[in-house]
C-alpha cells in the first residue's frame, strides 16, 4: 500500500478518468482551476480531449455537445461559474445529457473570496436552473471520497442520462491529504445504454414507464438524432400539447425520484440510546466526527450521519437515523441551507439546531460541541 | 451512403417551412439543402445546429441530425460535437441576434479555427420577438426598440470574424443566384468558415424601413460592404491538429510515485504546524516535503496553503497536520509548532501568534519583532543561513531545524523526501539547506 500526498482537485480529475471521462472543458476559476490543470496533465496517457473554453457558458456548451456525440464529459467551476452554467444546466436536464459538473465552492455571494472556502451553493445547485426539476448532487468529505464520488457521479450520469453535480469546496479541492486511491473500492463502470443498431427509427427520449431511462444514440452514430432546448416530445420535436408536456416533466422527475434508494450514499455511525444526532456533509463532516468522538468520550450518547448524496435528499435513511432522536445538530459552512431539508423531514417534536458560519473558516469541532449543545 | 444520389436533405414530415411569406430564411434553407445535395454527405454524419430566433425553427426540417440549443450558444454545442467527433459535418444556422448575445463564441471559434460552418441569417432585427434592433441593425433603422431610429452602429460580422482570425468568410445575400454553391463551398472548407447572408425580414424590418432587395443592395453599396469572398487564409484546423498532437504524445509526464512508509514517526497525537513567510520563500514546497517525510515515517498528513493570487509577493502560509491516526478536522485551532520566516507571514497570522498557548513552540527568524505570546519562542538565523545555502532554501532550513529540535520523525525521512525531488539542482540545494538547518540546532 502506498500513499500519495494529493489535493482533492487531483482526485476529482483521476476519479473522472477512472470512470472513462473522455472530454473536459472548463474556464479558469479559483479554486477549481487545478482540475483543468490535472486533466491537461493526463491527456497524453488518456487521450482525453481537454479544452479551455472562452467562458463558462461555452465550457458547459462544449460538454453538452461532446456528451451528445458520445463522450463522457466533465466540467468544473466555482459558484460564479455555476451562475453562468445555469441556463445550460436546464438544457442538459431536458436533453437528458449525461455529464458531471463540479462545483468547488468558495466564499460567495458574487466574486466573494476566491481563495477562501465555503459551502454556500447547496440550495443553489438544487434550484440552479429554471423549472425546478430534481437533480443529483454528491458531496465528498475527503480527498479519497472526491475520487470515489466523482467516479460514482459518472456512473449515475450515464445510467440516468442526466447531469450530476459534485459539490466540493476549496477546503477539499485545494487541501493535500495522504491518500491511497488504489485502495478505494470502486463499483463496476457504467456506460450509457445505447439504442440497438438494428433499430429502424430512434426516439431520443423514448420511455414506456415515466421512470425509464431512454436509450442513447450519439450524434454521428448510425441513427439520425435530434436534441432541443424547447419543450418537446419523445422524438425531440417541439410540442405545445399540455398532456405531452406534463408527461415529459413527469419523466424527468420520476427517473430521479424512482432511483432515490440507488442514489443514496450516507455514512452512519449510530449509538444505541442516542437522543442527539449530528447530521453533516462535506468538509464539515470531519469536524463533526471529531466533535462526536469528544462528546462520546465525555459520556454523551450521540449518533452521526454523513450525507454524501445531498440531492435527492436521502429521506428514508435520514428518517431512520432520526428514530428516537430528540435533537438533530446540523453544522454547515453556510447559514443553514441543508437544515431546511432536515426541518422539513423532522417535523414537530424534534429540535433541529444549526451550527453555522460563513466567515471563510471551517466550523470547528469546538463550535459543534458548544453551539450544538453536545456537552 | 445510398447508391442513388439524394434529391434532398429535408423532410416534409413537419409540413412546409414555417416562415412568413417572402422571408429570406426560406431561400437560405433551400440553398443549404441544395448545397448538401451537391455534396451528398451521409445524413447521419451531418448535424444542423441552431439556437433561438426564427432561423432556429429550421433544423427540424432537415433529414440530418439536428441540435437546437440556447439563444446565441449554437457555436458552443457545434464545437463540442466537432471536438468529440472531428469527422462530422457540423453546420450552424444562426441569426444576427444570436451573433450579438453569443458574440464571444463567434470571436472564439474564428480564432480557434474549429472546422464548423457558420451560416448567419442576417436580417437586421429580431423577428421572433417582434422586430427589435440587433447588432447588425443599420444606423437610423426603425425597430420596435429604436422607434426614433437606431443610434448604435452596426457590427460588420464578416470584418469581425476576419479580425478574430477566421480562415474563410463570405458575405452573401438572399438574392444571390449562386447561394447554394457558396454554402457548399463553405462546408467544404476544412477550417472554420462563415457565410453572412443578408436577408429581408418581411414581417418587421422591411415594412418599417422599406428594406427590399433594391434598398438592401444600395445600403451595402453606399456603406462600403461588398458581397462575395471576404477572407481566404487557410491555416491548420484545430481539432485535426489537436488529435495529431495528442495521438503523438505517447509519454506521460514523470510523476512522484506513491510513498511506502518505511520509518516510524515519534508523534503520539495529531500535531499542527504552521509555516508563515513570504511568497517566493518556497513555503508550500518545503511544507509538502515535510508532509511527505511524515508519510514516509508512517504518519498521516494534510496540507493547506494560504497565499495571495499574485506570485512572488505578499504572504505565504502553509498549515500542516501530522498524525499517527486518521486526520479529520483540518483546521489548526491551537498549533503545536509555528515557524515564522518573514514580516509578511507574521502579519498574516499575527492574531494567531498573539493567542498561542505555552504548549506551542515558535521557531522564529531572529530578526523578526514578535508580538507578546505565551508560546515558547526559539530564535534562529534562518535568513542568514538560508542566504548561505542558496536562494529559495530558507523554508527548508527552518523545517530541518524544527525536525532536528523536536524529533517529530527521523531526519532521515526529511532527507528521503528531499531526494524525491525531480529537479537535481533543487534536490542539491535542499540537501544543503537541510544540513544547515540541522546544524543550527546541533551547533547550539
Amino acid at each position: 500500500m502506498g500513499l500519495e500526498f494529493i489535493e482533492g482537485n487531483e482526485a476529482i480529475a483521476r476519479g473522472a478518468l477512472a470512470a472513462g471521462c473522455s472530454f473536459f472543458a472548463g474556464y479558469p476559476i479559483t479554486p477549481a482551476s487545478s482540475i483543468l490543470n490535472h486533466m491537461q496533465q493526463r491527456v497524453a496517457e488518456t487521450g482525453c480531449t481537454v479544452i479551455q473554453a472562452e467562458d463558462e457558458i461555452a465550457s458547459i456548451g462544449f460538454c453538452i455537445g461532446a456528451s451528445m456525440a458520445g463522450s463522457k464529459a466533465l466540467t468544473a467551476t466555482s459558484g460564479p461559474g455555476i451562475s453562468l452554467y445555469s441556463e445550460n444546466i436546464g438544457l442538459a436536464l431536458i436533453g437528458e445529457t449525461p455529464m458531471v459538473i463540479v462545483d468547488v465552492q468558495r466564499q460567495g455571494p458574487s466574486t466573494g473570496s476566491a481563495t477562501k472556502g465555503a459551502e454556500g451553493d447547496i440550495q443553489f445547485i438544487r434550484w440552479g436552473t429554471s423549472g425546478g426539476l430534481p437533480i443529483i448532487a454528491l458531496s465528498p468529505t475527503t480527498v479519497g471520497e472526491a475520487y470515489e464520488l466523482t467516479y460514482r457521479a459518472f456512473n449515475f450520469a450515464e445510467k440516468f442520462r442526466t447531469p450530476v453535480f459534485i459539490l466540493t469546496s476549496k477546503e477539499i479541492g485545494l487541501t493535500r491529504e495522504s491518500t491511497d486511491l488504489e485502495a478505494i473500492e470502486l463499483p463496476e463502470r457504467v456506460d450509457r445504454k445505447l439504442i440497438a443498431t438494428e433499430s429502424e427509427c430512434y426516439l431520443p427520449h423514448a420511455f414506456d414507464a415515466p421512470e425509464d431511462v431512454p436509450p442513447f444514440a450519439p450524434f454521428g452514430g448510425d441513427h439520425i438524432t435530434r436534441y432541443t432546448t424547447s419543450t418537446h416530445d419523445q422524438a425531440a420535436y417541439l410540442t405545445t400539447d399540455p398532456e405531452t408536456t406534463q408527461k415529459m416533466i413527469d419523466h424527468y422527475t420520476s427517473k430521479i425520484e424512482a432511483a432515490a434508494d440507488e442514489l443514496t450514499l450516507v455514512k452512519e455511525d449510530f449509538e444505541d440510546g442516542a437522543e442527539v444526532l449530528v447530521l453533516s456533509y462535506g468538509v464539515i463532516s470531519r469536524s463533526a466526527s471529531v466533535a462526536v468522538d469528544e462528546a462520546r468520550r465525555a459520556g454523551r450518547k450521540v449518533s452521526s450521519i454523513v450525507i454524501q448524496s445531498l440531492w435527492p435528499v436521502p429521506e428514508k435513511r435520514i428518517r431512520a437515523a432520526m428514530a428516537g432522536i430528540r435533537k438533530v445538530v446540523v453544522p454547515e459552512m453556510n447559514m443553514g441551507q441543508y437544515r431546511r431539508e432536515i426541518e422539513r423531514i423532522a417535523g414537530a417534536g424534534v429540535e433541529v439546531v444549526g451550527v453555522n458560519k460563513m466567515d471563510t473558516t471551517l466550523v470547528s469541532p469546538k463550535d459543534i460541541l458548544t453551539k450544538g449543545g453536545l456537552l | 451512403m445510398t447508391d442513388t444520389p439524394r434529391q434532398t436533405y429535408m423532410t416534409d414530415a413537419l409540413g412546409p417551412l414555417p416562415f412568413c411569406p417572402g422571408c429570406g430564411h426560406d431561400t437560405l434553407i433551400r440553398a443549404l439543402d441544395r448545397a448538401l445535395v451537391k455534396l451528398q454527405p451521409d445524413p447521419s454524419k451531418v448535424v444542423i445546429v441552431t439556437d433561438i430566433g426564427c432561423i432556429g425553427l429550421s433544423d427540424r426540417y432537415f433529414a440530418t441530425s439536428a441540435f437546437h440549443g440556447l439563444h446565441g450558444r449554437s457555436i458552443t454545442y457545434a464545437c463540442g460535437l466537432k471536438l468529440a467527433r472531428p469527422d462530422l459535418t457540423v453546420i450552424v444556422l444562426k441569426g444576427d441576434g444570436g451573433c450579438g448575445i453569443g458574440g464571444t463564441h463567434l470571436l472564439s471559434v474564428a480564432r480557434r479555427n474549429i472546422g464548423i460552418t457558420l451560416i448567419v441569417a442576417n436580417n437586421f432585427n429580431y423577428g421572433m420577438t417582434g422586430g427589435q434592433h440587433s447588432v447588425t441593425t443599420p444606423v437610423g433603422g426603425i425597430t420596435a426598440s429604436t422607434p426614433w431610429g437606431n443610434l448604435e452602429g452596426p457590427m460588420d460580422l464578416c470584418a469581425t470574424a476576419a479580425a478574430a482570425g477566421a480562415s474563410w468568410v463570405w458575405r452573401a445575400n438572399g438574392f444571390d443566384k449562386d447561394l447554394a454553391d457558396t454554402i457548399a463551398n463553405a462546408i467544404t472548407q476544412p477550417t472554420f468558415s462563415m457565410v453572412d447572408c443578408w436577408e429581408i425580414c418581411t414581417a418587421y424590418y422591411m415594412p418599417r424601413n422599406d428594406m427590399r432587395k433594391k434598398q438592401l443592395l444600395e445600403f451595402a453599396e453606399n456603406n462600403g460592404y461588398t458581397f462575395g469572398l471576404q477572407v481566404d487564409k487557410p491555416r491548420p484546423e484545430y481539432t485535426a491538429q489537436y488529435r495529431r498532437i495528442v495521438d503523438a504524445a505517447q509519454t506521460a509526464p514523470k510523476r512522484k510515485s506513491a510513498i511506502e512508509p518505511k520509518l516510524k514517526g515519534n508523534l503520539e497525537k495529531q500535531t499542527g504546524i504552521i509555516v508563515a513567510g513570504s511568497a517566493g520563500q518556497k513555503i508550500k514546497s518545503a511544507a509538502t516535503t515535510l508532509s511527505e517525510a511524515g508519510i514516509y515515517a508512517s504518519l498521516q498528513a494534510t496540507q493547506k496553503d494560504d497565499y495571495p493570487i499574485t506570485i512572488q509577493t505578499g504572504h505565504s502560509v502553509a498549515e500542516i497536520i501530522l498524525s499517527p491516526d486518521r486526520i479529520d478536522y483540518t483546521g489548526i485551532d491551537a498549533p503545536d509548532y509555528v515557524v515564522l520566516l518573514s514580516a509578511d507571514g507574521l502579519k498574516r497570522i499575527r492574531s494567531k501568534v498573539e493567542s498561542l498557548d505555552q504548549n506551542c513552540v515558535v521557531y522564529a527568524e531572529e530578526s523578526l519583532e514578535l508580538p507578546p505570546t505565551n508560546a515558547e519562542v526559539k530564535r534562529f538565523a534562518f535568513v542568514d543561513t538560508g542566504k548561505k545555502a542558496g536562494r529559495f532554501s530558507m523554508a527548508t532550513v527552518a523545517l530541518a531545524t524544527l525536525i532536528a529540535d523536536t524529533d517529530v520523525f527521523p531526519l532521515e525521512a526529511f532527507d528521503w523526501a528531499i531526494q524525491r525531488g525531480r529537479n537535481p539542482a533543487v534536490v542539491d540545494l535542499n540537501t544543503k539547506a537541510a544540513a544547515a538547518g540541522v546544524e543550527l540546532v546541533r551547533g547550539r
Side-chain angles (χ1 to χ4, degrees), chain A residues 129-146:
Chain A
T129 193
S130 165
L133 294 176
I135 54 101
I136 302 170
L138 310 180
S139 185
T141 72
T142 62
V143 168
E145 283 183 22

Side-chain angles (χ1 to χ4, degrees), chain A residues 119 140-141 169 171-172 281-287 333 362, chain B residues 330:
Chain A
E119 293 188 330
T141 72
S169 81
E171 289 292 345
I172 293 169
Y281 60 87
V283 72
I284 302 306
S285 293
R286 304 168 66 145
S287 305
M333 234 175 148
L362 295 171
Chain B
T330 55

Side-chain angles (χ1 to χ4, degrees), chain A residues 3 49-50 54 88 171 286, chain B residues 77 112 243 259 304 328:
Chain A
L3 289 168
T49 298
V50 176
E54 58 268 28
N88 267 314
E171 289 292 345
R286 304 168 66 145
Chain B
Y77 314 118
R112 275 195 194 103
R243 272 296 127 209
I259 303 170
K304 284 201 274 196
D328 277 324

Side-chain angles (χ1 to χ4, degrees), chain A residues 119-347:
Chain A
E119 293 188 330
D121 298 350
I122 307 300
Q123 293 285 355
F124 179 39
I125 286 294
R126 170 61 188 87
W127 305 103
T129 193
S130 165
L133 294 176
I135 54 101
I136 302 170
L138 310 180
S139 185
T141 72
T142 62
V143 168
E145 283 183 22
Y147 174 77
E148 181 195 335
L149 294 187
T150 303
Y151 179 95
R152 288 181 182 273
F154 269 96
N155 275 2
F156 288 154
E158 292 289 310
K159 177 153 187 194
F160 299 104
R161 270 192 67 178
T162 193
V164 175
F165 295 87
I166 292 288
L167 267 166
T168 176
S169 81
K170 178 261 167 192
E171 289 292 345
I172 293 169
L174 296 186
T175 298
R176 283 170 176 260
E177 197 164 0
S178 41
T179 307
D180 183 358
L181 293 188
E182 290 187 6
I184 295 170
E185 277 185 42
L186 299 173
E188 201 171 319
R189 198 163 108 178
V190 176
D191 295 320
R192 61 195 78 171
K193 187 176 73 185
L194 298 174
I195 183 80
T197 38
E198 62 275 14
S199 306
E200 279 283 303
C201 171
Y202 174 61
L203 294 181
H205 305 285
F207 57 89
D208 293 321
E211 67 273 18
D212 291 351
V213 179
F216 183 88
F219 279 84
D222 296 331
H223 293 84
I224 301 285
T225 183
R226 279 176 302 279
Y227 189 89
T228 181
T229 181
S230 298
T231 300
H232 52 259
D233 58 17
Q234 296 194 15
Y237 281 126
L238 183 148
T239 183
T240 53
D241 174 46
E243 196 186 329
T244 307
T245 302
Q246 187 64 53
K247 245 179 107 172
M248 295 304 293
I249 293 293
D250 291 343
H251 163 60
Y252 308 129
T253 306
S254 56
K255 76 172 175 179
I256 305 298
E257 287 181 350
D261 287 348
E262 187 179 345
L263 295 169
T264 292
L265 296 168
V266 297
K267 293 188 292 182
E268 294 157 337
D269 176 12
F270 297 157
E271 192 169 35
D272 281 346
E275 293 189 341
V276 177
L277 171 71
V278 178
L279 183 147
S280 61
Y281 60 87
V283 72
I284 302 306
S285 293
R286 304 168 66 145
S287 305
S289 163
V290 175
V292 167
D293 285 351
E294 204 153 314
R296 285 175 180 169
R297 274 200 299 276
R300 306 282 164 162
K301 285 187 184 297
V302 184
S303 284
S304 162
I305 183 166
V306 175
I307 312 296
Q308 292 176 303
S309 57
L310 287 174
W311 305 110
V313 179
E315 295 202 19
K316 234 189 245 178
R317 295 283 277 277
I318 293 175
R319 267 179 226 288
M322 280 186 190
I325 295 293
R326 288 160 58 151
K327 179 164 88 174
V328 185
V329 178
V330 188
E332 296 183 83
M333 234 175 148
N334 59 52
M335 297 320 291
Q337 296 190 15
Y338 208 65
R339 191 173 79 225
R340 299 169 64 90
E341 306 302 319
I342 309 311
E343 283 166 348
R344 175 174 63 76
I345 295 166

Side-chain angles (χ1 to χ4, degrees), chain B residues 219-231:
Chain B
F219 168 75
E221 171 104 36
N222 296 340
N223 289 278
Y225 294 100
T226 58
F227 293 103
L229 189 64
Q230 307 290 314
V231 180

Side-chain angles (χ1 to χ4, degrees), chain B residues 19-76:
Chain B
F19 304 117
C20 310
C23 173
H25 294 351
D26 201 281
T27 312
L28 180 63
I29 295 306
R30 289 180 200 291
L32 171 56
D33 184 36
R34 289 203 306 283
L36 290 171
V37 168
K38 184 177 174 185
L39 299 173
Q40 290 290 311
D42 176 348
S44 69
K45 303 294 177 267
V46 176
V47 190
I48 308 284
V49 186
T50 69
D51 55 52
I52 307 301
C54 295
I55 196 66
L57 298 171
S58 55
D59 58 88
R60 63 193 129 129
Y61 293 88
F62 284 86
T64 65
S65 285
F67 193 119
H68 178 59
L70 304 184
H71 187 33
R73 313 301 170 195
S74 46
I75 288 171
T76 69

Side-chain angles (χ1 to χ4, degrees), chain A residues 1-5 23 41-45 47-55 57-58 61-62 64-66 68-69 71 87-88 91 115-116 170-171 174-178 219-230 237 286-287 289-290 362-365, chain B residues 14 43-45 47 52 60 63-70 73 76-77 79-81 83-85 88 104-105 108 112 238 242-243 246 249 251-253 255 258-261 288 291-292 295 300-307 309 326-331 333 348:
Chain A
M1 186 188 77
L3 289 168
E4 292 181 271
F5 194 54
F23 189 90
Q41 285 160 17
R42 285 168 194 272
V43 163
E45 300 140 273
C48 182
T49 298
V50 176
I51 187 164
Q52 178 181 320
E54 58 268 28
D55 60 17
I57 296 174
F62 285 4
I64 289 173
M68 295 315 291
S71 301
E87 194 181 7
N88 267 314
L91 176 62
T115 59
K116 299 291 178 189
K170 178 261 167 192
E171 289 292 345
L174 296 186
T175 298
R176 283 170 176 260
E177 197 164 0
S178 41
F219 279 84
D222 296 331
H223 293 84
I224 301 285
T225 183
R226 279 176 302 279
Y227 189 89
T228 181
T229 181
S230 298
Y237 281 126
R286 304 168 66 145
S287 305
S289 163
V290 175
L362 295 171
V363 176
S364 71
Chain B
L14 299 184
S44 69
K45 303 294 177 267
V47 190
I52 307 301
R60 63 193 129 129
T64 65
S65 285
F67 193 119
H68 178 59
L70 304 184
R73 313 301 170 195
T76 69
Y77 314 118
C79 288
L81 290 162
L83 283 159
R85 286 288 303 272
L88 299 185
T104 186
H105 311 309
S108 293
R112 275 195 194 103
Y238 183 96
Y242 186 87
R243 272 296 127 209
V246 169
T251 46
R255 296 196 179 89
I259 303 170
E260 308 278 349
T288 299
S291 305
E292 292 185 343
I295 297 167
Q300 300 287 316
T302 66
Q303 179 186 342
K304 284 201 274 196
D305 304 307
D306 173 31
Y307 48 90
I309 47 156
R326 189 183 74 184
I327 300 166
D328 277 324
Y329 177 54
T330 55
D333 296 341
R348 187 69 181 176

